[in-house]
Amino acid sequence: MTKLLVRNEEVLIHAAAARELATHTLLHLPHESCGVLLGTAAAGSIQIEKFHPIRNVAPDPLHAFTFHPEEWIKFCLHPERLVGIVHSHPHSQPIPSQDDLTKLNGYGQLLDAYLICSPNESSNSIIIHSYRIIHPSFHSKTEINDNFRLLRTQLTVT
Ligand SMILES: [Zn+2]
């Protein structure tokens, strides 16, 4: 079933979820950390209510993330509250890498929101960028592109 993602203009995150995300990210430095975002996606906005860490089992966790398969599948089996995923970029800006975009095609169908966070060196906190996942069906008819894309959105802490 196709969701009307194009209407979700804004991403909101509960303050408690943002705090847990920051704590988890900073705790795992210098490794990349990752997790899922639970909440609701409705017309106009995506509300993130909870952050759930997932173990990063990438062979090179300094530069990549791979969800622990059993932990990840639990959330995929209950997709009704799964609204997005998050991972960290410990050594670079919170901007999607080519690898992030390639992997997005594997699970983009399940998700609405995509967050990336980076440590803010000066204040022991994190910088979060939020992106809306644009599904291939919403691309212009003249555009030949079957990939999922990410569109930067406003992130508001509620
Ligand atoms: Zn990345």
Short mmCIF file of all heavy atoms in Angstrom, two decimals, residues 32 65 87-89 95-97 99-100 114 116, ligand 1:
data_model
loop_
_atom_site.label_atom_id
_atom_site.label_comp_id
_atom_site.label_asym_id
_atom_site.label_seq_id
_atom_site.Cartn_x
_atom_site.Cartn_y
_atom_site.Cartn_z
N GLU A 32 29.76 4.34 14.97
CA GLU A 32 28.42 4.73 14.53
C GLU A 32 27.42 3.96 15.38
O GLU A 32 27.63 2.80 15.72
CB GLU A 32 28.21 4.39 13.04
CG GLU A 32 28.96 5.30 12.10
CD GLU A 32 28.43 5.26 10.66
OE1 GLU A 32 27.28 4.84 10.42
OE2 GLU A 32 29.20 5.64 9.77
N PHE A 65 27.07 1.39 9.50
CA PHE A 65 26.14 0.76 10.44
C PHE A 65 25.37 -0.33 9.72
O PHE A 65 25.04 -0.22 8.54
CB PHE A 65 25.19 1.78 11.08
CG PHE A 65 24.03 2.18 10.19
CD1 PHE A 65 22.78 1.59 10.34
CD2 PHE A 65 24.20 3.15 9.22
CE1 PHE A 65 21.71 1.96 9.53
CE2 PHE A 65 23.14 3.53 8.40
CZ PHE A 65 21.90 2.94 8.55
N HIS A 87 20.78 6.93 12.42
CA HIS A 87 22.15 6.47 12.70
C HIS A 87 23.04 7.70 12.85
O HIS A 87 22.62 8.82 12.55
CB HIS A 87 22.65 5.51 11.61
CG HIS A 87 23.00 6.16 10.31
ND1 HIS A 87 22.04 6.59 9.43
CD2 HIS A 87 24.20 6.45 9.74
CE1 HIS A 87 22.63 7.11 8.36
NE2 HIS A 87 23.95 7.05 8.52
N SER A 88 24.25 7.47 13.33
CA SER A 88 25.12 8.61 13.59
C SER A 88 26.28 8.66 12.60
O SER A 88 26.67 7.63 12.03
CB SER A 88 25.66 8.55 15.03
OG SER A 88 26.50 7.42 15.18
N HIS A 89 26.79 9.86 12.42
CA HIS A 89 28.03 10.09 11.66
C HIS A 89 29.03 10.69 12.64
O HIS A 89 29.07 11.90 12.83
CB HIS A 89 27.78 11.09 10.51
CG HIS A 89 27.08 10.50 9.34
ND1 HIS A 89 26.75 11.24 8.22
CD2 HIS A 89 26.66 9.23 9.10
CE1 HIS A 89 26.15 10.43 7.33
NE2 HIS A 89 26.07 9.22 7.85
N ILE A 95 24.82 14.33 6.98
CA ILE A 95 24.33 14.38 5.60
C ILE A 95 24.42 12.97 5.01
O ILE A 95 25.43 12.28 5.22
CB ILE A 95 25.19 15.37 4.78
CG1 ILE A 95 24.97 16.80 5.33
CG2 ILE A 95 24.88 15.30 3.29
CD1 ILE A 95 25.98 17.81 4.84
N PRO A 96 23.37 12.50 4.33
CA PRO A 96 23.36 11.11 3.83
C PRO A 96 24.54 10.82 2.92
O PRO A 96 24.86 11.60 2.03
CB PRO A 96 22.05 11.00 3.05
CG PRO A 96 21.22 12.17 3.46
CD PRO A 96 22.14 13.23 3.96
N SER A 97 25.19 9.68 3.15
CA SER A 97 26.29 9.25 2.29
C SER A 97 25.70 8.47 1.12
O SER A 97 24.52 8.09 1.14
CB SER A 97 27.25 8.36 3.07
OG SER A 97 26.59 7.15 3.42
N ASP A 99 26.37 5.49 0.44
CA ASP A 99 26.02 4.18 1.01
C ASP A 99 24.65 4.23 1.71
O ASP A 99 23.85 3.30 1.61
CB ASP A 99 27.12 3.77 1.99
CG ASP A 99 26.97 2.33 2.44
OD1 ASP A 99 26.71 1.46 1.58
OD2 ASP A 99 27.09 2.08 3.66
N ASP A 100 24.39 5.32 2.43
CA ASP A 100 23.08 5.48 3.09
C ASP A 100 21.96 5.44 2.06
O ASP A 100 20.93 4.79 2.26
CB ASP A 100 23.01 6.82 3.84
CG ASP A 100 23.93 6.88 5.04
OD1 ASP A 100 24.30 5.80 5.55
OD2 ASP A 100 24.27 8.00 5.47
N TYR A 114 13.87 9.81 8.32
CA TYR A 114 15.25 9.34 8.34
C TYR A 114 16.07 10.40 9.06
O TYR A 114 16.15 11.53 8.61
CB TYR A 114 15.72 9.16 6.90
CG TYR A 114 17.00 8.39 6.71
CD1 TYR A 114 16.96 7.04 6.38
CD2 TYR A 114 18.24 9.01 6.81
CE1 TYR A 114 18.14 6.32 6.17
CE2 TYR A 114 19.41 8.30 6.61
CZ TYR A 114 19.35 6.96 6.28
OH TYR A 114 20.52 6.25 6.07
N ILE A 116 19.76 11.58 10.88
CA ILE A 116 21.20 11.34 11.03
C ILE A 116 21.70 12.32 12.08
O ILE A 116 21.30 13.49 12.07
CB ILE A 116 21.97 11.57 9.71
CG1 ILE A 116 21.37 10.72 8.58
CG2 ILE A 116 23.45 11.22 9.89
CD1 ILE A 116 22.03 10.95 7.22
ZN ZN B 1 25.37 7.49 7.15
#
